[in-house]
Structures are given as structure tokens and as C-alpha cells.
Amino acid sequence: MDASEVEFLAEKELVTIIPNFSLDKVYLIGGDIGPFNPGLPVPVPLWLAINLKQRQKCRIVPPEWMDVEKLEEIRDNERREETFTPMPSPHYMELTKLLLNHASDNIPKADEIRTLVKDTWDTRIAKLRLSADSFVREQEAHAKLDNLTLMEINTIGTFLTESLNHMYQLRTSLQYSEDGQSQEP
């Protein structure tokens, strides 16, 4: 799975919009949406919120966690803890990127939010790299990936599987050479 596929999955997350149009309930494969009444909040998938925003049919309400104070607390907590802390959304990075790219005018302190989410992301990726390095160095057989998001797993996945494949090849070649030496007269 690549980053664009993870982003596609994130677009199914519900966000709240304030429409400026009227429309009855819409029946979609993924579920019913609406009804839409001007000025009344309605939850919709992110892909629809972005589409409506681009057509100037709504205002997007930022998620509750997309607040400078809350994100500072999340960032500081992530820096303090050795393990991964729970994130406010399983797609926090993708949601932030999409909302700030398409609706930054609806998000107060958008630049600060972008920086805080990036700081949190960088802290988590650094932890992930250290964990992966330790995992490979200590030749572990399994790992516990609590509180990681799909995008974070996707980021380290290729490196980790390649590393494990190389370790396996080295072990089998080492084992083969040791077996060959012990069988010589």
C-alpha cells in the first residue's frame, strides 16, 4: 500500500460541514448523508466536504482535535513518552494535510497547526526508526505496533520487510557455510 492509497482511505473519515444550500438526504453506497440545510452542521465524508468546499457550497468545521492547545499537548506528550501515544485520529496526518490544503481559510491558526502536526509526525517517525533499528539489531521475531497509524506503518513497512529479508538471507548463508564446514573431514 502506498501513501496515496492510505490518503484515499482517510477520505472516508467524517468531518462536519456547514452547507450554504438545501438538499434532501443523499443515498450513497457508503451510507446516507444529509439532509443539507443552510447553516446547520452535517457530518459528511472528507472527500465530499472537500468537493463541496471547492465548489463554494460549504464551510468545513475543523475536527475538535485540530486546535493549537490540544495539538501542543499531544506533541509534548509524544515527546515525553517512550512508547507511542494514541493519536486523536487514525488518519491525523492525512486529514491535516487535506484540510489545510483545501480549507485553510476555515481553520484558525492553520500555520501553527501545520507546524504542530509536523512536529508530532517527526517525533513519531524518529521513535519508529529507533524501534525498527533496535528490532533489527536485536534480531527480534515479532514487534508490537500499538498506537501507530496506517500512514506511519506504511512509511516504515518497506524498510522493515527489506531488512528482515536481508537478515534471513544472511542467516541462511551463514548457516549453510557452517554446515558445509562441519561436514568436511
Side-chain angles (χ1 to χ4, degrees), residues 123-174:
T123 300
R124 291 174 66 84
I125 293 302
K127 272 189 198 179
L128 193 52
R129 286 190 179 129
L130 285 172
S131 298
D133 182 52
S134 172
F135 177 81
V136 170
R137 199 173 336 104
E138 304 204 9
Q139 300 180 3
E140 298 291 340
H142 66 279
K144 194 173 183 180
L145 302 176
D146 286 346
N147 299 321
L148 286 178
T149 66
L150 189 54
M151 187 64 87
E152 292 162 347
I153 292 169
N154 186 57
T155 301
I156 198 78
T158 304
F159 165 76
L160 206 50
T161 53
E162 298 270 330
S163 298
L164 292 172
N165 283 337
H166 287 300
M167 284 175 43
Y168 173 75
Q169 290 171 350
L170 288 171
R171 280 190 196 139
T172 52
S173 65
L174 181 64

Side-chain angles (χ1 to χ4, degrees), residues 32-51:
D32 304 342
I33 302 170
F36 298 90
N37 294 304
L40 295 178
V42 60
V44 299
L46 180 61
W47 64 266
L48 181 58
I50 290 171
N51 181 283

Side-chain angles (χ1 to χ4, degrees), residues 65-78:
W65 56 265
M66 200 173 277
D67 173 71
V68 172
E69 290 78 29
K70 288 181 182 168
L71 288 171
E72 283 174 342
E73 185 180 322
I74 289 168
R75 181 202 57 197
D76 295 343
N77 193 24
E78 191 65 45

Side-chain angles (χ1 to χ4, degrees), residues 19-151:
N20 58 15
F21 64 95
S22 293
L23 184 66
D24 287 335
K25 192 177 274 198
V26 178
Y27 302 96
L28 302 174
I29 292 173
D32 304 342
I33 302 170
F36 298 90
N37 294 304
L40 295 178
V42 60
V44 299
L46 180 61
W47 64 266
L48 181 58
I50 290 171
N51 181 283
L52 292 171
K53 172 70 177 164
Q54 289 172 333
R55 295 186 305 155
Q56 299 176 351
K57 297 287 185 186
C58 75
R59 182 173 61 83
I60 298 176
V61 177
E64 183 181 304
W65 56 265
M66 200 173 277
D67 173 71
V68 172
E69 290 78 29
K70 288 181 182 168
L71 288 171
E72 283 174 342
E73 185 180 322
I74 289 168
R75 181 202 57 197
D76 295 343
N77 193 24
E78 191 65 45
R79 287 179 175 171
R80 248 189 328 272
E81 297 292 324
E82 280 187 35
T83 58
F84 295 96
T85 60
M87 288 290 98
S89 164
H91 297 286
Y92 76 98
M93 189 63 176
E94 304 91 316
L95 286 172
T96 302
K97 177 186 166 216
L98 289 166
L99 287 173
L100 291 177
N101 285 347
H102 297 284
S104 61
D105 58 324
N106 293 157
I107 300 170
K109 300 180 181 179
D111 290 335
E112 287 180 62
I113 287 172
R114 186 184 315 269
T115 302
L116 288 166
V117 169
K118 179 77 169 94
D119 288 350
T120 303
W121 171 265
D122 290 343
T123 300
R124 291 174 66 84
I125 293 302
K127 272 189 198 179
L128 193 52
R129 286 190 179 129
L130 285 172
S131 298
D133 182 52
S134 172
F135 177 81
V136 170
R137 199 173 336 104
E138 304 204 9
Q139 300 180 3
E140 298 291 340
H142 66 279
K144 194 173 183 180
L145 302 176
D146 286 346
N147 299 321
L148 286 178
T149 66
L150 189 54
M151 187 64 87

